């Protein structure tokens, strides 16, 4: 209380929240959301749009998504602004969607948010399928959360959602350079990657069938030495 009778707030009782604490709260909230049964599941295969990019290492996520579509006999969903080329997977006890790249890979977070809105599934749980230059060629890793690892598409997704989202990483190895990630695999590399794409598609199918609510079971299966 001042001499004039005006109350002065005591900031020591309500210190500002640190950025670290804010991230911890966001992660806790995301964990709580993960325990709630999602109304729909979306698999987002990362890449750049266009035939010129289809065979590039950066589009391995799209290749996996297309492999799942073929294996599950998915059908094209109704085209909507913000959600082009989406496939609908039959047989699930809730809607399953396969989402291809929607633009430039580095804007994947914005594109994903717009697609979920277009599909009228803003609360859907999603699995992102991505290339990973830090993993050796052909290695598959499923993660329930984590950092972007310098991948600009994952940075974009983090900025639009948070870091507590499921991602399936496909190792492309090689030099950490733009030329490598947007380049096409050699004939020898392609022989391995074609097999890895099918294996990764199996991992996606496990995530869909068991559901993100059982992510620990999916992680144990996909990351086991027998699977990888």
């Amino acid at each position: 209380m001042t001499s004039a009778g005006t109350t002065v707030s005591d900031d020591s009782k309500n210190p500002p929240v640190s950025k670290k604490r804010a991230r911890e709260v966001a992660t806790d909230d995301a964990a709580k959301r993960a325990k709630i049964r999602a109304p729909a599941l979306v698999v987002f295969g990362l890449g750049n749009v266009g035939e010129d990019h289809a065979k590039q290492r950066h589009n391995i996520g799209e290749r996996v998504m297309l492999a799942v579509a073929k294996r599950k006999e998915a059908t094209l969903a109704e085209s909507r602004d913000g959600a082009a080329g989406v496939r609908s997977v039959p047989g699930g006890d809730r809607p399953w969607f396969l989402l291809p790249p929607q633009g430039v890979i580095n804007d994947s977070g914005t594109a994903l948010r717009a697609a979920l809105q277009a599909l009228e599934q803003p609360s859907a749980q999603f699995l992102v399928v991505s290339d990973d230059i830090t993993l050796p060629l052909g290695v598959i890793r499923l993660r329930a959360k984590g950092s972007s690892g310098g991948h600009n598409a994952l940075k974009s997704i983090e900025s639009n959602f948070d870091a507590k989202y499921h991602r399936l990483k496909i190792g492309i190895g090689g030099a950490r350079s733009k030329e490598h990630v947007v380049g096409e695999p050699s004939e020898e590399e392609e022989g391995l990657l074609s097999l890895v794409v099918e294996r990764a598609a199996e991992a996606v199918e496990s995530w869909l069938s068991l559901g993100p609510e059982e992510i620990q079971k999916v992680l144990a299966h996909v990351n086991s030495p027998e699977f990888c």
Side-chain angles (χ1 to χ4, degrees):
M1 188 79 72
T2 66
S3 59
T6 303
T7 301
V8 178
S9 62
D10 185 356
D11 290 339
S12 65
K13 295 181 180 179
N14 297 288
V17 178
S18 68
K19 290 183 179 180
K20 179 180 179 180
R21 180 54 185 160
R23 286 195 298 269
E24 290 174 348
V25 171
T27 298
D28 290 342
D29 289 344
K32 292 176 183 177
R33 292 198 303 272
K35 295 179 181 179
I36 301 173
R37 183 173 171 79
L41 304 182
V42 175
V43 177
F44 186 21
L46 297 189
N48 287 299
V49 170
E51 287 299 318
D52 292 345
H53 303 286
K55 295 182 180 180
Q56 294 175 352
R57 296 182 182 92
H58 229 10
N59 276 54
I60 193 74
E62 180 187 29
R63 289 180 60 180
V64 172
M65 185 225 74
L66 291 173
V68 176
K70 183 176 180 180
R71 291 164 61 98
K72 302 296 288 185
E73 298 182 342
T75 57
L76 275 173
E78 178 185 352
S79 181
R80 309 183 189 199
D81 290 340
V86 176
R87 274 78 167 175
S88 178
V89 181
D93 58 354
R94 52 187 159 180
W96 293 356
F97 297 106
L98 305 177
L99 178 67
Q102 297 295 302
V104 179
I105 189 171
N106 288 353
D107 292 332
S108 291
T110 303
L112 177 57
R113 182 173 292 282
L116 295 181
Q117 293 291 341
L119 292 169
E120 299 179 354
Q121 296 290 351
S123 300
Q125 182 77 289
F126 55 85
L127 171 67
V128 175
V129 187
S130 168
D131 63 291
D132 192 320
I133 202 169
T134 67
L135 292 175
L137 180 68
V139 171
I140 298 172
R141 288 289 182 269
L142 179 65
R143 296 287 184 260
K145 61 181 180 179
S147 69
S148 66
H151 197 301
N152 288 328
L154 302 188
K155 287 181 182 179
S156 176
I157 293 170
E158 281 185 22
S159 68
N160 277 271
F161 298 91
D162 52 47
K164 188 82 174 186
Y165 65 89
H166 301 169
R167 74 286 305 272
L168 181 67
K169 299 182 175 184
I170 316 299
I172 61 172
R176 296 178 68 97
S177 67
K178 179 180 179 181
E179 291 73 21
H180 181 69
V181 297
V182 300
E184 296 184 7
S186 66
E187 185 175 344
E188 183 179 358
E189 289 175 327
E190 183 56 38
L192 173 60
L193 284 177
S194 61
L195 298 175
V196 171
V197 165
E198 290 299 318
R199 199 63 164 160
E202 291 181 35
V204 171
E205 290 171 3
S206 294
W207 184 84
L208 287 170
S209 60
L210 289 174
E213 299 82 8
E214 299 292 339
I215 187 60
Q216 294 305 320
K217 291 182 180 179
V218 185
L219 288 167
H221 173 60
V222 173
N223 293 333
S224 67
E226 295 78 12
F227 186 91
C228 297

